[in-house]
């Protein structure tokens, strides 16, 4: 199986796609202005205590207060609070962490009312992003995650991932980390650290220690509350940290700055793989070039088609995701009804496992498969679903089919499910139902180009249009594009984009900055 990562950096957002055998299996879109990412650490204030819930609401600057349960304070909460006071008592000299006093562990059966006070300052980390009407979920047990190690302040334990089965290797890693870790820190050794040399682990440990030192230094120097004191690495690097696999063949990036970030990170964790990071400089949009745009359009939405006319209907409610399996137009008499039902259900299991990763669906998922009478067929379907989900990094649990033919799945929910709306408002009429004559579309484009070049003064730009329109503009020996270049200069470039509607267009300058030339919207608003 070949794996590739494609990163599309745009002015407003960054999109990341993971391909396995050219098939899209994971997709993330992150606004460049996004905040409240999982892993961010804030120095914040307790806003309200809820004794009935044994929890508190904390102001981290989000429109809804974040939720912090008593059990999420962590065993070493008292130690961190005391060190926090010592750090803030002297704004000039940082109190050494190695000298920090260890306080008694927090009782598991204690109450939040006896531990926290209103307006108390706490150092908290986001573990779940805001979802629907809920604010972020917090923990006071801080951790700094790297590729091989997770660093935990005020925790002297060294734990090794249970997925490392070799007793000898577990003992080696535990002894190695014990010998290099500083005082007052705990470390979790991740699965990918298996077989790694001490130099690699020591290098990452020093990087994680520097992050903790920078965080505490920022707490010491700032007085604004709430205040972001540690920001998780960029979405691109954070995703690569968890996803990265030595089997990756390529990582393509279309932006030089992000390319350098990714290159530096891969060089750090896997120097021998640094050459797989490649800067994409083609004129065709990067997602179009790798056939990702088409897969996004066909994979999202309420109805998802898969093999031989069968399809899934996926709906999201406040409580859960509901999936219905339909055979559609599929008819194969030679296998009989039971054989057809099994084949449709197995195909649905393959597609659903991909959809769960692709949309990052979490919480409770209920799947209504086509009824099957044979127990061995139901068992085969359950085993197929478990096998498909084994590639999923998110924690999950799958139950066998119930008497009603329903499969219940729970999947770790950390951020809102990816919901790409594939139904668009008509970009030509803006929902009015009336458009200008389409035969005059190229004349309309030329007026825009004339305005851009002669009035605004932009000489070099890219005009993105639908592939059919691009083909029309480029056709012939003396094409329309050539005529425009003769009139307005060689800086006029026409680029086919699968994202565009049939009569939609977008202008970008040579620095990839969007140029708004759609005055039709204003005209629509001005009409009575």
């Amino acid at each position: 199986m070949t794996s590739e990562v494609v990163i599309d950096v745009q002015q407003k957002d960054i999109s990341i796609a993971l391909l396995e055998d050219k098939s899209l299996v994971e997709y993330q879109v992150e606004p460049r202005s996004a905040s409240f990412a999982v892993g961010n650490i804030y120095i914040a204030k307790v806003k309200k205590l809820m004794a009935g819930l044994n929890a508190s609401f904390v102001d981290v600057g989000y429109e809804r207060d974040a939720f912090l349960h008593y059990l999420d304070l962590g065993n070493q909460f008292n130690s961190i609070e005391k060190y926090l006071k010592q750090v803030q008592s002297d704004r000039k000299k940082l109190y050494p962490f190695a000298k920090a006093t260890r306080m008694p562990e927090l009782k598991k059966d204690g109450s939040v009312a006896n531990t926290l006070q209103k307006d108390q300052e706490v150092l908290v980390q986001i573990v779940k992003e805001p979802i629907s009407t809920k604010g972020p979920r917090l923990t006071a047990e801080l951790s700094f995650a790297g590729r091989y190690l997770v660093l935990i302040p005020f925790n002297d334990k060294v734990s090794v991932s249970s997925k490392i089965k070799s007793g000898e290797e577990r003992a080696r890693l535990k002894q190695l980390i014990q010998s290099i870790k500083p005082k007052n820190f705990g470390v979790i050794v991740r699965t990918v650290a298996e077989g790694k040399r001490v130099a690699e682990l020591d290098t990452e440990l020093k990087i994680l220690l520097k992050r903790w030192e920078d965080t505490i230094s920022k707490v010491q120097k700032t007085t604004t509350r709430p205040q972001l004191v540690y920001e998780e690495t960029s979405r691109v690097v954070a995703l690569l940290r968890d996803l990265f696999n030595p089997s990756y063949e390529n990582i393509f990036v279309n932006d030089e700055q992000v390319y350098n970030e990714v290159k530096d990170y891969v060089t750090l964790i896997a120097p021998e793989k640094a050459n797989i990071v490649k800067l994409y400089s083609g004129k065709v949009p990067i997602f179009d070039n790798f056939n990702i745009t088409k897969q996004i359009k066909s994979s999202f939405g309420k109805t998802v088609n898969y093999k031989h006319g069968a399809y899934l209907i996926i709906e999201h409610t406040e409580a859960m995701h509901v999936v219905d399996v339909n055979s559609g137009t599929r008819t194969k008499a030679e296998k009989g009804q039971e054989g057809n039902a099994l084949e449709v259900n197995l195909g649905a299991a393959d597609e659903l496992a991909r959809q769960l990763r692709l949309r990052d669906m979490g919480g409770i998922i209920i799947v209504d498969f086509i009824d099957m009478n044979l127990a061995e067929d139901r068992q085969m379907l359950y085993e197929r679903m478990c096998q498909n989900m084994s590639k999923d990094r998110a924690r999950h649990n799958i139950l066998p089919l119930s008497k009603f033919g329903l499969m219940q799945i729970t999947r770790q929910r950390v951020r809102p499910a990816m919901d790409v709306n594939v139904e668009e408002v008509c970009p030509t009429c803006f929902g009015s139902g009336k458009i200008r004559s389409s035969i005059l579309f190229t004349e309309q484009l030329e007026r825009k180009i004339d305005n851009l070049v002669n009035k605004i003064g932009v000489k070099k730009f890219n005009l993105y249009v639908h592939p059919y329109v691009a083909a029309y503009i480029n056709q012939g020996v003396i094409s329309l594009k050539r005529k425009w270049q003769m009139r307005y200069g060689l800086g006029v470039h026409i680029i086919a984009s699968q994202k565009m509607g049939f009569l939609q267009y977008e202008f970008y300058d040579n620095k990839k900055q969007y140029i708004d030339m759609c005055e039709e919207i204003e005209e629509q608003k001005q009409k009575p």
Side-chain angles (χ1 to χ4, degrees):
M1 181 181 69
T2 60
S3 297
E4 294 179 313
V5 175
V6 182
I7 301 167
D8 181 19
V9 182
Q10 295 297 331
Q11 188 176 348
K12 294 182 179 179
D13 53 44
I14 297 177
S15 303
I16 306 164
L18 173 61
L19 304 176
E20 290 180 357
D21 291 334
K22 305 297 181 183
S23 178
L24 181 65
V25 292
E26 290 198 28
Y27 176 62
Q28 292 285 345
V29 178
E30 187 81 2
R32 300 191 81 164
S33 59
S35 58
F36 303 104
V38 170
N40 284 1
I41 297 176
Y42 289 81
I43 179 75
K45 279 191 176 183
V46 176
K47 197 80 175 284
K48 190 188 298 182
L49 299 176
M50 304 293 289
L53 297 172
N54 202 17
S56 63
F57 285 99
V58 178
D59 179 17
V60 292
Y62 188 63
E63 57 184 333
R64 290 183 180 272
D65 290 335
F67 184 79
L68 176 64
H69 194 274
Y70 175 81
L71 294 176
D72 291 325
L73 292 175
N75 295 334
Q76 305 301 329
F77 178 75
N78 292 329
S79 301
I80 292 178
E81 279 298 293
K82 181 167 184 179
Y83 181 65
L84 202 59
K85 290 176 182 176
Q86 291 171 328
V87 165
Q88 296 182 100
S89 64
D90 187 348
R91 299 287 180 186
K92 294 181 180 178
K93 187 178 179 182
L94 187 64
Y95 190 85
F97 187 67
K99 294 182 180 179
T101 310
R102 297 291 293 273
M103 302 293 290
E105 291 190 359
L106 207 64
K107 295 179 181 178
K108 291 186 178 179
D109 56 351
S111 71
V112 73
N114 295 330
T115 309
L116 297 177
Q117 297 175 351
K118 188 180 177 185
D119 293 331
Q120 179 178 342
E121 291 188 3
V122 287
L123 201 57
V124 289
Q125 187 168 30
I126 293 182
V127 290
K128 280 189 180 180
E129 288 183 12
I131 296 174
S132 186
T133 57
K134 301 173 185 175
R137 178 77 183 256
L138 304 176
T139 181
E141 195 167 13
L142 309 180
S143 62
F144 296 82
R147 173 145 177 82
Y148 304 124
L149 308 172
V150 179
L151 185 71
I152 306 172
F154 281 113
N155 185 336
D156 271 338
K157 293 180 181 177
V158 174
S159 306
V160 180
S161 168
S162 59
K163 291 182 181 178
I164 299 178
K165 303 298 182 185
S166 168
E168 188 180 334
E169 177 64 8
R170 292 175 65 84
R172 182 189 79 89
L173 288 169
K174 198 163 188 176
Q175 186 178 2
L176 191 156
I177 297 300
Q178 286 281 17
S179 66
I180 62 174
K181 82 173 186 64
K183 185 183 175 184
N184 281 339
F185 285 103
V187 176
I188 298 173
V189 182
R190 304 182 75 173
T191 310
V192 288
E194 187 172 8
K196 298 301 176 186
R197 294 176 291 109
V198 63
E200 295 174 89
L201 301 179
D202 187 50
T203 300
E204 181 166 274
L205 186 61
K206 287 176 180 174
I207 292 170
L208 298 179
L209 280 169
K210 180 70 165 59
R211 290 178 187 173
W212 162 252
E213 289 164 3
D214 291 345
T215 300
I216 286 300
S217 178
K218 198 164 184 181
V219 170
Q220 180 199 27
K221 292 174 182 175
T222 59
T223 55
T224 309
R225 303 290 183 265
Q227 175 71 44
L228 175 66
V229 291
Y230 168 71
E231 189 167 11
E232 182 59 285
T233 49
S234 70
R235 186 73 197 109
V236 175
V237 173
L239 185 72
L240 280 178
R241 184 189 66 205
D242 297 330
L243 272 182
F244 187 79
N245 191 308
S247 65
Y248 281 173
E249 291 195 348
N250 296 295
I251 299 174
F252 294 100
V253 191
N254 66 343
D255 179 87
E256 191 169 354
Q257 181 183 344
V258 176
Y259 162 79
N260 290 329
E261 284 180 21
V262 174
K263 182 92 171 178
D264 291 345
Y265 180 71
V266 174
T267 303
L268 178 67
I269 62 170
E272 73 283 0
K273 284 285 181 179
N275 62 338
I276 69 171
V277 184
K278 297 171 183 175
L279 181 63
Y280 176 81
S281 55
K283 289 187 177 180
V284 177
I286 188 168
F287 272 15
D288 289 8
N289 186 66
F290 293 99
N291 197 34
I292 296 170
T293 305
K294 187 176 181 181
Q295 291 190 62
I296 291 172
K297 297 281 186 183
S298 62
S299 297
F300 287 90
K302 182 179 176 180
T303 303
V304 178
N305 295 300
Y306 63 102
K307 295 177 182 176
H308 309 299
Y311 60 94
L312 304 177
I313 294 178
I314 302 175
E315 292 192 292
H316 173 55
T317 70
E318 187 68 24
M320 66 183 73
H321 294 273
V322 184
V323 182
D324 186 33
V325 180
N326 292 275
S327 58
T329 57
R330 182 186 177 84
T331 53
K332 278 195 175 182
E334 67 271 13
K335 290 193 176 181
Q337 184 175 348
E338 185 73 14
N340 279 337
L342 176 62
E343 197 167 337
V344 169
N345 284 340
L346 291 176
D350 296 340
E351 181 59 30
L352 180 60
R354 172 176 169 261
Q355 286 290 328
L356 293 180
R357 291 176 67 189
L358 187 57
R359 300 181 187 223
D360 204 7
M361 291 161 62
I364 301 171
I365 300 114
I366 304 294
V367 190
D368 181 13
F369 285 102
I370 297 172
D371 291 339
M372 296 183 294
N373 297 321
L374 299 177
E376 56 264 35
D377 288 350
R378 293 196 293 271
Q379 181 63 22
M380 187 188 299
L381 175 60
Y382 171 68
E383 290 174 359
R384 179 75 158 258
M385 195 71 208
C386 291
Q387 180 186 344
N388 291 336
M389 292 288 287
S390 64
K391 301 174 186 174
D392 199 332
R393 292 176 297 113
R395 290 196 302 271
H396 58 271
N397 189 25
I398 307 170
L399 296 183
L401 289 170
S402 70
K403 291 180 180 179
F404 299 118
L406 301 177
M407 181 178 284
Q408 300 168 67
I409 302 172
T410 61
R411 187 175 182 273
Q412 181 186 20
R413 178 164 67 176
V414 174
R415 56 183 59 86
M418 177 65 59
D419 185 19
V420 177
N421 186 10
V422 294
E423 295 178 351
E424 303 168 352
V425 174
C426 173
T428 310
C429 71
F430 305 101
S432 69
K434 296 180 180 179
I435 64 172
R436 297 176 181 177
S437 175
S438 54
I439 197 70
L440 303 176
F441 180 60
T442 53
E443 294 182 13
Q444 179 188 353
L445 288 180
E446 186 170 356
R447 285 199 303 274
K448 304 282 184 187
I449 293 170
D450 181 51
N451 190 29
L452 197 59
V453 173
N454 296 324
K455 292 185 179 179
I456 301 177
V458 178
K459 305 294 183 182
K460 295 181 179 180
F461 57 87
N462 295 323
L463 170 57
Y464 288 80
V465 291
H466 189 277
Y468 290 174
V469 176
Y472 175 76
I473 293 174
N474 290 322
Q475 73 171 347
V477 178
I478 305 179
S479 62
L480 201 52
K481 173 188 171 183
R482 181 62 60 196
K483 291 178 182 177
W484 288 349
Q485 288 179 335
M486 290 168 66
R487 290 174 196 160
Y488 306 107
L490 296 175
V492 179
H493 300 289
I494 310 298
I495 298 177
S497 173
Q498 295 175 11
K499 285 185 179 179
M500 297 294 107
F502 187 61
L503 296 182
Q504 187 182 7
Y505 57 89
E506 288 183 356
F507 287 90
Y508 288 83
D509 63 21
N510 60 347
K511 295 181 180 178
K512 297 184 180 179
Q513 299 294 309
Y514 174 68
I515 307 171
D516 188 359
M517 298 294 289
C518 299
E519 76 278 1
E520 283 82 358
I521 299 176
E522 297 302 322
E523 290 178 11
Q524 293 284 340
K525 290 179 182 176
Q526 291 169 8
K527 288 182 181 178

